[in-house]
Amino acid sequence: MAKQKDNKNVIYWLLTGCVLLFIMVVIGGITRLTDSGLSISDYKLITGTIPPLNEVEWQEAFELYQQYPEFQKLHSHFTLSDFKEIYFWEWLHRVMGRLIGLVFIIPFIYFLATKQLTSKTIKKCLILLSLGAFQGFLGWYMVKSGLVDMPNVSHYRLSAHLTTAFLTFAATLWVALDLKFPEKKPIDKNFRNLIGIGYIILAVQIVYGGFVAGLKAGLLHNHWPFMNEGKFIHESAYAIDPFYLNLIENPSGIQFVHRTFAYVVVIIIAIIWYRGKQLSLTPIQSKSIDSLLILVGVQFLLGVLTIIYGVPLWLGVAHQVGAFLLLSAMTFTLHRFSR
């Protein structure tokens, strides 16, 4: 007897991918905050899954690391023991990326062979696989930028890598929700569009979060609510000419945009919650907008604490996880008000 198309197993597969992407983002945050991302300078798809297994191999890997700017300009004091510590996080990050690829590809082939996917779902899954492959390419492209002259990766490439990871997760969750809730119902297009605006605003904030991470702008101006004591905006935030470069390349300017835009995110979500409560909602719709309000409050608090305490590892990771959960809730809410 043929199995039903787009069955529960397909949904579980997609949700498993979502969980793995979440873990990947957490590991990626730790990798970034521990300056581990440039510890492996070569890329080997198959053999790269096996770390050095003896002292000779470790020494060879360390000597390769010593040829690049990060060691020469920042970590020349590193011993082999120090190198092993940062190597672990980058290796784990890359292995997790390969694991996610296998978890997506192998079941997809199985579901295709057993005809458990509708043509519409097949097309959506091919898009997800393309996003995953592009994400892997961006990871390599990002690391490459830190192996030339400067011991840091391009903040543009880091933000693209981070944002694509978030959006790949959101797209995967959306496809799973399409299968979980196949029924369609009348929608309030104006309210759906309001949520869509909120989604775009949140996406812009995530991009700027990547800029802040790439330029380590969170280490500057560790005061709140002012950038420095008594100053809402520090003069260094608009010191570059032409002015627009302050918005995309000046660490102080980028921090100002990110911390100020956080208020915009809070306001738009508060409006969504207020407007939503005036509508006739299903229990799941009501819970979805409640979760938005709670998560944006937690995320705002985490952002403030991260700035005040100078981005300690646990707070930096928690703040990134908060952004991930908020995007998840926004994706779920948009889906529930779109069908």
Side-chain angles (χ1 to χ4, degrees):
M1 180 178 175
K3 291 186 178 180
Q4 181 183 1
K5 290 183 182 292
D6 294 346
N7 56 55
K8 287 184 178 180
N9 290 333
V10 177
I11 298 173
Y12 293 149
W13 163 57
L14 291 169
L15 292 178
T16 299
C18 289
V19 172
L20 291 176
L21 284 167
F22 169 74
I23 295 172
M24 179 75 162
V25 167
V26 173
I27 295 173
I30 297 173
T31 301
R32 171 177 55 80
L33 290 165
T34 54
D35 287 331
S36 303
L38 296 176
S39 58
I40 305 177
S41 53
D42 56 353
Y43 184 84
K44 298 176 181 177
L45 182 61
I46 305 300
T47 58
T49 59
I50 304 174
L53 299 176
N54 54 57
E55 286 304 304
V56 173
E57 292 180 358
W58 273 115
Q59 192 61 44
E60 290 175 351
F62 188 34
E63 288 174 359
L64 180 62
Y65 175 67
Q66 291 172 329
Q67 297 175 21
Y68 292 96
E70 182 172 83
F71 175 82
Q72 296 166 358
K73 298 182 180 182
L74 290 180
H75 295 161
S76 59
H77 61 285
F78 264 27
T79 64
L80 181 58
S81 178
D82 296 321
F83 172 70
K84 287 180 179 180
E85 191 171 324
I86 63 170
Y87 186 101
F88 169 76
W89 288 112
E90 176 62 10
W91 171 80
L92 184 61
H93 189 53
R94 295 190 184 195
V95 169
M96 180 59 68
R98 291 172 172 85
L99 175 62
I100 290 172
L102 292 175
V103 168
F104 268 92
I105 293 171
I106 294 175
F108 177 64
I109 293 173
Y110 170 75
F111 288 133
L112 271 180
T114 54
K115 298 181 179 179
Q116 296 185 51
L117 302 174
T118 62
S119 58
K120 184 180 291 187
T121 301
I122 291 171
K123 292 176 183 177
K124 292 176 181 177
C125 289
L126 288 174
I127 293 173
L128 296 180
L129 289 169
S130 298
L131 281 171
F134 183 57
Q135 170 69 0
F137 164 77
L138 283 176
W140 167 82
Y141 188 57
M142 176 188 67
V143 169
K144 186 178 178 182
S145 68
L147 301 176
V148 184
D149 299 314
M150 299 300 295
N152 298 299
V153 299
S154 161
H155 68 288
Y156 295 117
R157 298 185 191 185
L158 185 148
S159 186
H161 184 54
L162 176 68
T163 304
T164 304
F166 276 56
L167 295 181
T168 301
F169 165 84
T172 305
L173 178 59
W174 189 276
V175 176
L177 291 173
D178 278 347
L179 303 184
K180 176 65 177 175
F181 302 102
E183 75 287 349
K184 294 187 177 181
K185 59 184 181 304
I187 61 173
D188 185 322
K189 291 184 179 180
N190 290 331
F191 189 65
R192 178 203 60 189
N193 292 343
L194 176 63
I195 300 173
I197 292 170
Y199 204 101
I200 293 170
I201 290 172
L202 179 59
V204 171
Q205 179 71 333
I206 289 171
V207 169
Y208 264 90
F211 286 172
V212 169
L215 291 173
K216 298 183 178 179
L219 300 177
L220 307 171
H221 315 298
N222 299 117
H223 298 270
W224 188 84
F226 304 115
M227 289 186 73
N228 284 73
E229 293 183 5
K231 292 184 178 180
F232 178 69
I233 178 171
H234 195 268
E235 56 269 16
S236 61
Y238 50 86
I240 297 178
D241 188 42
F243 176 78
Y244 76 90
L245 289 178
N246 293 291
L247 305 178
I248 56 175
E249 293 190 358
N250 180 352
S252 292
I254 285 171
Q255 196 209 91
F256 175 75
V257 172
H258 188 57
R259 63 194 289 159
T260 304
F261 211 67
Y263 294 103
V264 180
V265 175
V266 171
I267 290 169
I268 188 65
I269 288 179
I271 292 172
I272 289 170
W273 181 85
Y274 178 76
R275 288 277 306 277
K277 288 300 182 178
Q278 296 178 358
L279 303 175
S280 177
L281 305 178
T282 65
I284 198 167
Q285 287 176 328
S286 182
K287 289 179 181 178
S288 70
I289 60 173
D290 285 343
S291 69
L292 280 181
L293 194 65
I294 294 170
L295 285 171
V296 78
V298 171
Q299 177 64 351
F300 187 87
L301 177 60
L302 285 172
V304 171
L305 294 175
T306 301
I307 283 290
I308 290 175
Y309 289 102
V311 199
L313 176 61
W314 74 273
L315 266 176
V317 173
H319 188 48
Q320 185 163 303
V321 169
F324 193 96
L325 295 177
L326 183 55
L327 182 72
S328 304
M330 186 69 88
T331 302
F332 184 85
T333 301
L334 181 60
H335 190 277
R336 289 296 73 222
F337 284 93
S338 297
R339 295 183 58 135

